[in-house]
Amino acid sequence: MTKNTPAPALLKDPNSGKEWELPIRSGSVGPQAVDVSKLYGQSGLFTYDPGFTSTAACDSGITYIDGEEGILLHRGYRIEDLAQNCSFLEVCHLLLHGALPNAQEKSAFEDSIRYHTMLHEQMLMFYRGFRRDSHPMAIMVGVVGALSAFYHDSTDINDPEQRLLAQYRLIAKMPTIAAMAYKYSVGQPFMYPQNSRSFTENFLYMTFGVPAEEYAPPPAFVSAMERILILHADHEQNASTSTVRTAGSSGANPFACISSGIASLWGPAHGGANEAVLSMLREIGHPDRIPEFITRAKDKNDPFRLMGFGHRVYKNYDPRAKVLQSHAHEVLESVGRKDEPLMALALQLEQIALQDEYFIERKLFPNVDFYSGIILEAMGFPTSMFTVLFAVARTVGWVAHWNEMISAEGALRITRPRQLYTGEPERPFVPLDER
Ligand code: ACO
């Protein structure tokens, strides 16, 4: 065994006394992993880990999270540095291509994305098929999945050029699709992208602009939206990214895979949490009622949880929540709501929870969703659009992981977890007249 190869772990079956050696694998940083991929073949045993709390499903070089320390790195760079110094598209380049772009690469990349912002005109018919009161995430799932019916020249997953084209198309078209979902719900005309604007400004223009008037978003909005997009761009193997990987593992086309990621993101335990934070703050209503809700959050017989608190991976303050807290103040000030009661309530709730033994013991801290809803609401987004914005941002993470999986060495293996069967053992069939 070389110096760098860790000793294997030993698994012992106490009944038979048999032992198996399981290789230990090391990444570049972070905890080591016991490789159980050959365990069933060798021993006839499966591992059991619902929710994958202790299971790595792939190798990945895109994002690293140290949940204990509250550190998030994209390709080695701290999220705080990226959020402070980069545009969203620079972060997209970093996630997709592994490096921050130089000035020339940045400009070329922006041009490539800009080139794909429009939607096939026929796709606008899709919107008209939805009810006006459809949840925009329902529209997103449908329209993004339908991209595969329009962009046939980017669905061959074995062609690297087609894969790149699909990735660029998805990143570029997602704001257009999202803004149109919003416009449809409020009965306003769709706004076509204006490529003289930046990615983020264009998105705000397509969402809040109307053909009858000039529109320039307030600088605080552009800056906050840019940060929101960066902070949500990727988060390693979260539920929606794992869904995209699982869908892609069968060889499905990229548009179908991203549509499945959007479906997974929709749930309140994932992307829907910032919407839930805002509803919770409104329900609490006044600082005097905070203790009542803290008590409810701790009561195991009450399904209520403190939304925007806790995280599967972070057992410390989510670094993204810190960045967003300062932008919440800026946006509120820019819309003349410096003393916004919901913000004051959120700050107080955070303070009280962080001093409570229940939250301390379980290492429950504010997550990225705790402040993002307040910012988005102040900008004028309806709550139903919050998760849509998350999807716009996360698209780059999804496609980066999808492409990493497809282009990895070796054959693509379909994701196929096992189960611990707890149903009836085999029994004799009972004819209908004897049941
Ligand atoms: N309020 C009250 N108690 C909580 C909360 C919360 N927000 N979060 C976790 N706990 C408690 C659990 O009841 C459990 O207590 P127990 O050990 O006494 O049974 C313990 O903390 C551990 O919680 P788990 O549910 O095992 O943690 P898990 O990793 O499965 O869940 C999750 C993480 C889903 C994010 C959870 O913390 C939660 O529901 N939070 C609120 C929803 C939310 O904010 N989601 C956004 C996540 S971030 C994102 O998707 C971008």
Side-chain angles (χ1 to χ4, degrees), residues 268-271 273 297-298 300 304-312 315 320 358-359 362 364 367-369 390:
H270 193 5
K298 298 192 287 190
K300 296 290 167 213
F304 176 78
R305 280 189 164 197
L306 213 53
M307 298 314 287
F309 258 76
H311 197 276
R312 172 58 59 83
K315 302 302 164 198
R320 304 167 300 171
Y358 173 96
F359 292 89
R362 289 167 181 75
L364 301 170
N367 60 47
V368 68
D369 293 310
F390 194 158

Side-chain angles (χ1 to χ4, degrees), residues 324-347:
L324 281 185
Q325 199 193 60
S326 65
H327 279 281
H329 290 296
E330 273 173 37
V331 170
L332 289 169
E333 209 167 324
S334 77
V335 292
R337 284 162 56 183
K338 190 164 166 265
D339 301 318
E340 168 62 44
L342 281 188
M343 182 69 188
L345 189 63
L347 288 167

Side-chain angles (χ1 to χ4, degrees), residues 160-396:
E161 278 180 27
Q162 289 206 24
R163 287 207 305 272
L164 189 65
L165 182 56
Q167 292 173 78
Y168 283 9
R169 276 185 171 146
L170 277 156
I171 293 168
K173 292 184 197 306
M174 200 62 86
T176 314
I177 295 171
M180 285 180 173
Y182 171 67
K183 285 299 192 198
Y184 184 71
S185 72
V186 290
Q188 289 181 0
F190 295 142
M191 298 293 282
Y192 288 90
Q194 278 190 348
N195 290 344
S196 54
R197 298 172 186 261
S198 74
F199 183 90
T200 302
E201 210 189 319
N202 206 1
F203 177 45
L204 292 170
Y205 160 76
M206 288 189 285
T207 307
F208 296 121
V210 286
E213 284 170 22
E214 291 293 318
Y215 176 79
F221 283 24
V222 180
S223 169
M225 181 53 71
E226 197 87 28
R227 294 327 113 201
I228 285 177
L229 293 176
I230 292 171
L231 295 173
H232 290 84
D234 189 44
H235 214 224
E236 50 121 303
Q237 312 307 324
N238 55 86
S240 55
T241 303
S242 300
T243 303
V244 169
R245 278 188 180 259
T246 300
S249 74
S250 70
N253 76 69
F255 305 108
C257 294
I258 300 311
S259 173
S260 72
I262 296 172
S264 166
L265 184 71
W266 194 356
H270 193 5
N274 55 4
E275 187 174 338
V277 170
L278 216 56
S279 318
M280 175 189 75
L281 291 173
R282 290 200 178 109
E283 200 188 340
I284 298 174
H286 192 275
D288 289 352
R289 296 189 65 204
I290 292 175
E292 178 195 324
F293 281 82
I294 295 272
T295 307
R296 282 188 59 195
K298 298 192 287 190
D299 181 355
K300 296 290 167 213
N301 298 317
D302 188 329
F304 176 78
R305 280 189 164 197
L306 213 53
M307 298 314 287
F309 258 76
H311 197 276
R312 172 58 59 83
V313 180
Y314 291 118
K315 302 302 164 198
N316 203 324
Y317 211 109
D318 181 339
R320 304 167 300 171
K322 278 195 194 135
V323 178
L324 281 185
Q325 199 193 60
S326 65
H327 279 281
H329 290 296
E330 273 173 37
V331 170
L332 289 169
E333 209 167 324
S334 77
V335 292
R337 284 162 56 183
K338 190 164 166 265
D339 301 318
E340 168 62 44
L342 281 188
M343 182 69 188
L345 189 63
L347 288 167
Q348 256 180 292
L349 179 61
E350 175 188 326
Q351 252 186 356
I352 293 174
L354 290 181
Q355 286 163 12
D356 190 291
E357 210 39 51
Y358 173 96
F359 292 89
I360 295 170
E361 241 174 49
R362 289 167 181 75
K363 299 184 177 173
L364 301 170
F365 291 84
N367 60 47
V368 68
D369 293 310
F370 197 64
Y371 289 104
S372 60
I374 294 176
I375 299 178
L376 297 174
E377 195 267 346
M379 283 181 174
F381 284 101
T383 47
S384 60
M385 280 295 287
F386 290 3
T387 320
V388 175
L389 295 168
F390 194 158
V392 169
R394 184 55 59 86
T395 297
V396 63

Side-chain angles (χ1 to χ4, degrees), residues 5-155:
T5 313
L10 275 185
L11 178 72
K12 184 170 181 178
D13 179 346
N15 300 313
S16 63
K18 277 189 185 164
E19 281 188 350
W20 298 277
E21 281 193 353
L22 299 169
I24 302 254
R25 293 196 54 207
S26 306
S28 45
V29 267
Q32 295 176 318
V34 182
D35 182 347
V36 294
S37 55
K38 300 210 164 47
L39 179 65
Y40 178 64
Q42 289 169 356
S43 68
L45 292 169
F46 293 137
T47 54
Y48 178 75
D49 183 19
F52 302 122
T53 46
S54 300
T55 298
C58 60
D59 288 30
S60 182
I62 300 173
T63 290
Y64 173 73
I65 302 173
D66 182 335
E68 295 300 324
E69 296 297 324
I71 293 171
L72 168 59
L73 307 178
H74 290 321
R75 305 280 191 189
Y77 297 106
R78 280 227 182 205
I79 189 68
E80 297 89 333
D81 291 336
L82 296 173
Q84 199 177 336
N85 301 305
C86 290
S87 68
F88 175 62
L89 285 188
E90 282 178 271
V91 175
C92 289
H93 187 283
L94 175 70
L95 292 169
L96 296 182
H97 299 298
L100 284 168
N102 61 28
Q104 214 178 351
E105 289 163 341
K106 178 172 181 273
S107 161
F109 182 69
E110 286 168 355
D111 283 349
S112 308
I113 297 295
R114 212 175 268 139
Y115 185 73
H116 294 291
T117 51
M118 282 178 62
L119 266 192
H120 191 293
E121 193 68 10
Q122 194 77 9
M123 290 204 75
L124 306 195
M125 310 291 178
F126 271 82
Y127 288 86
R128 311 212 187 282
F130 287 100
R131 279 171 52 141
R132 289 275 175 194
D133 60 356
S134 304
H135 195 290
M137 282 299 273
I139 298 181
M140 296 295 289
V141 172
V143 174
V144 173
L147 289 171
S148 43
F150 288 86
Y151 298 99
H152 300 138
D153 58 345
S154 48
T155 52

